Amino acid sequence: MTPADRQKLGEKVQALQLKAVTDVLDTPQLARYKQLVLQQQGVLQALSGKDTAETLQLTDDQKTKIKDLQAKAREKQQSLVPAGTNIRDMSADDRQKMMTQIQQLRKDNDAAALAVLNESQTKKWTELTGKPFKFPAFGQRPARPGA
């Protein structure tokens, strides 16, 4: 599957998910859900989405820069996980090391993507994402109340 096909499929899935939650959530809940989706996606991935790009009024030059950053990020991430590697077969230490590298890569990519935005776009991005939420680390489940 090409990156463009993957992007289109992701957008279709996202649209289906949004429709499903729209039927269940009230207006404030839906607004927060949208903020959390953007936070979870990360800056680079979110900026490459059609809706976010339109909302922020990204220029063609900015879209090209985002696309280039995405291609470089994909290459770097693929270099961390060689083809044919089953993450489940890795030792816990190797898996943790890889996840730490991926988290740092995402942080660097998001910073680079934010640098593409102008001041008003950055302000709008902050409004779109709302109050930061700390998601559980990959592979960890949140503690259950009373457990």
Side-chain angles (χ1 to χ4, degrees):
M1 181 179 286
T2 68
D5 290 340
R6 197 173 302 119
Q7 178 79 22
K8 286 179 185 175
L9 179 61
E11 288 174 2
K12 284 182 183 178
V13 169
Q14 206 172 22
L16 289 171
Q17 289 173 335
L18 182 58
K19 183 181 178 341
V21 297
T22 300
D23 294 340
V24 177
L25 302 178
D26 63 27
T27 302
Q29 290 171 325
L30 184 60
R32 183 61 177 152
Y33 170 79
K34 289 178 180 180
Q35 292 172 342
L36 293 173
V37 167
L38 290 175
Q39 288 181 35
Q40 196 279 326
Q41 285 179 336
V43 182
L44 184 58
Q45 183 180 347
L47 292 182
S48 63
K50 182 181 175 185
D51 291 341
T52 306
E54 287 176 2
T55 301
L56 295 176
Q57 298 178 335
L58 296 181
T59 65
D60 288 341
D61 183 53
Q62 287 173 312
K63 291 175 187 177
T64 299
K65 288 178 181 178
I66 295 296
K67 194 176 262 188
D68 291 345
L69 286 171
Q70 231 182 357
K72 290 175 186 173
R74 194 171 19 262
E75 287 175 21
K76 287 179 185 176
Q77 187 162 342
Q78 287 173 347
S79 73
L80 295 175
V81 186
T85 301
N86 186 337
I87 295 173
R88 292 183 182 141
D89 293 338
M90 297 171 80
S91 71
D93 287 342
D94 286 344
R95 195 169 35 251
Q96 180 59 44
K97 181 180 173 185
M98 183 191 66
M99 291 310 302
T100 300
Q101 291 172 325
I102 289 173
Q103 287 171 348
Q104 184 60 50
L105 178 62
R106 179 177 174 166
K107 187 184 278 188
D108 295 345
N109 292 334
D110 284 353
L114 278 175
V116 171
L117 303 180
N118 64 36
E119 188 177 330
S120 66
Q121 290 168 326
T122 302
K123 182 179 178 188
K124 182 68 175 171
W125 170 255
T126 302
E127 292 169 6
L128 288 173
T129 56
K131 181 181 176 185
F133 179 80
K134 181 152 176 55
F135 291 92
F138 178 79
Q140 293 181 351
R141 294 182 181 185
R144 293 183 303 179

